[in-house]
């Protein structure tokens, strides 16, 4: 049985392969940056919401711990809650 890696490659194949690998790597990097940006914005929004309630309602550490616990229960895959 002949391994497909033993076949003669057409002209331009290796160039296309390198271009496609670079495209995939670039897309992955962009996707990770987008995810990181969204997470930063999410955590900032959570912090702002908590801060506002602390200022307006006088929420103490017990309420914050409960809020954190409830969020972790709802989103167990997330870290930092």
């Amino acid at each position: 049985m002949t391994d497909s890696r033993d076949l003669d490659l057409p002209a331009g194949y290796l160039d296309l392969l390198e271009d496609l690998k670079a495209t995939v790597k670039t897309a992955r990097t962009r996707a990770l940056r987008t995810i990181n940006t969204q997470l930063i914005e999410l955590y900032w929004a959570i912090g702002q919401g908590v801060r506002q309630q602390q200022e307006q309602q006088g929420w103490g550490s017990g309420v914050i711990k409960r809020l954190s616990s409830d969020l972790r229960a709802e989103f167990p895959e997330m870290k930092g809650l």
Side-chain angles (χ1 to χ4, degrees):
M1 183 175 277
T2 303
D3 186 351
S4 64
R5 294 185 183 271
D6 293 338
L7 299 175
D8 289 332
L9 299 176
Y13 175 86
L14 292 177
D15 291 335
L16 176 61
L17 177 61
E18 291 305 313
D19 287 347
L20 293 175
K21 288 194 274 186
T23 299
V24 169
K25 288 176 184 178
T26 299
R28 283 179 155 179
T29 299
R30 271 194 247 132
L32 289 172
R33 283 186 190 147
T34 299
I35 290 168
N36 287 338
T37 299
Q38 291 299 309
L39 286 174
I40 290 167
E41 290 176 5
L42 169 64
Y43 291 136
W44 188 87
I46 289 171
Q48 286 297 101
V50 169
R51 185 189 58 76
Q52 284 178 341
Q53 290 302 316
Q54 284 179 312
E55 290 175 359
Q56 294 171 0
Q57 306 292 329
W59 285 10
S61 62
V63 175
I64 303 306
K65 285 181 184 179
R66 172 64 188 266
L67 181 63
S68 175
S69 177
D70 288 342
L71 286 171
R72 281 194 312 266
E74 182 68 24
F75 306 103
E77 73 284 354
M78 288 185 71
K79 306 242 190 261
L81 298 174

